[in-house]
Amino acid sequence: GTHLDDAVITTKVKSTLLTDSQARSGDTSVETRKGEVLLSGFVDSQAQADREVQLAKSVEGVQSVQNKLMIKNGKAATAGNQLDDSVITVKVKSALLADDRTRGTEFAVTTNKGVVQLSGFVDSADEQARATSVARNVEGVQSVVNDTSIKK
């Protein structure tokens, strides 16, 4: 079935990224729906983002790749920043799970210096807007970039 195939594609793309010397330093979320791969998260440079898209496209079964990767601005995150970011990520995921309107959706949540990126596939524009609003209300969130796609 499609769902199984998508899970296999996701795993293949993740392992391809992890084994590549240029791509493996990134904090990339990979999601697949009907062969469409969505890459999101934070990378160090445009070159790294381009490389990850190229690698994902080379994986068998991938129909298309949506690049929602964001470039980290400037210096590497300090341990304190990273800790805060991981706490924010957990809080945002928990808030999305606790909300009646976003509970059933699997969001990928990545945080870099308080900027939260949401990605994944949602059912409607209403759910998309709700997810942004839920994430924005979490303590420590500076801003929210909603890169979710509406299921076709």
Side-chain angles (χ1 to χ4, degrees):
T2 312
H3 192 71
L4 180 67
D5 297 343
D6 284 344
V8 170
I9 290 171
T10 296
T11 303
K12 283 182 180 175
V13 171
K14 281 182 178 176
S15 61
T16 301
L17 294 178
L18 283 172
T19 54
D20 183 78
S21 60
Q22 242 187 305
R24 74 166 158 241
S25 64
D27 179 12
T28 303
S29 295
V30 179
E31 290 156 89
T32 309
R33 182 173 170 79
K34 297 180 181 168
E36 179 184 344
V37 173
L38 176 68
L39 298 178
S40 61
F42 292 90
V43 294
D44 296 325
S45 65
Q46 186 61 50
Q48 184 179 353
D50 294 344
R51 176 79 181 148
E52 291 193 15
V53 169
Q54 183 189 357
L55 289 166
K57 283 181 177 169
S58 72
V59 172
E60 185 187 346
V62 172
Q63 305 295 315
S64 66
V65 177
Q66 270 195 49
N67 178 1
K68 300 288 186 176
L69 294 165
M70 295 169 64
I71 296 161
K72 292 177 189 169
N73 47 357
K75 303 180 189 89
T78 64
N81 267 351
Q82 279 183 318
L83 181 66
D84 295 345
D85 284 343
S86 60
V87 168
I88 291 169
T89 296
V90 169
K91 284 182 178 176
V92 169
K93 284 182 176 178
S94 301
L96 290 168
L97 281 170
D99 188 84
D100 289 344
R101 286 163 47 202
T102 56
R103 178 182 298 145
T105 304
E106 280 188 45
F107 291 95
V109 179
T110 322
T111 309
N112 184 41
K113 296 179 185 157
V115 177
V116 173
Q117 182 189 34
L118 301 176
S119 58
F121 293 93
V122 296
D123 292 321
S124 65
D126 183 53
E127 187 181 6
Q128 212 171 27
R130 179 67 184 168
T132 300
S133 145
V134 167
R136 209 173 262 146
N137 287 318
V138 170
E139 185 188 349
V141 173
Q142 304 295 316
S143 65
V144 177
V145 178
N146 190 331
D147 281 329
T148 55
S149 297
I150 296 169
K151 293 175 187 168
K152 293 183 179 104

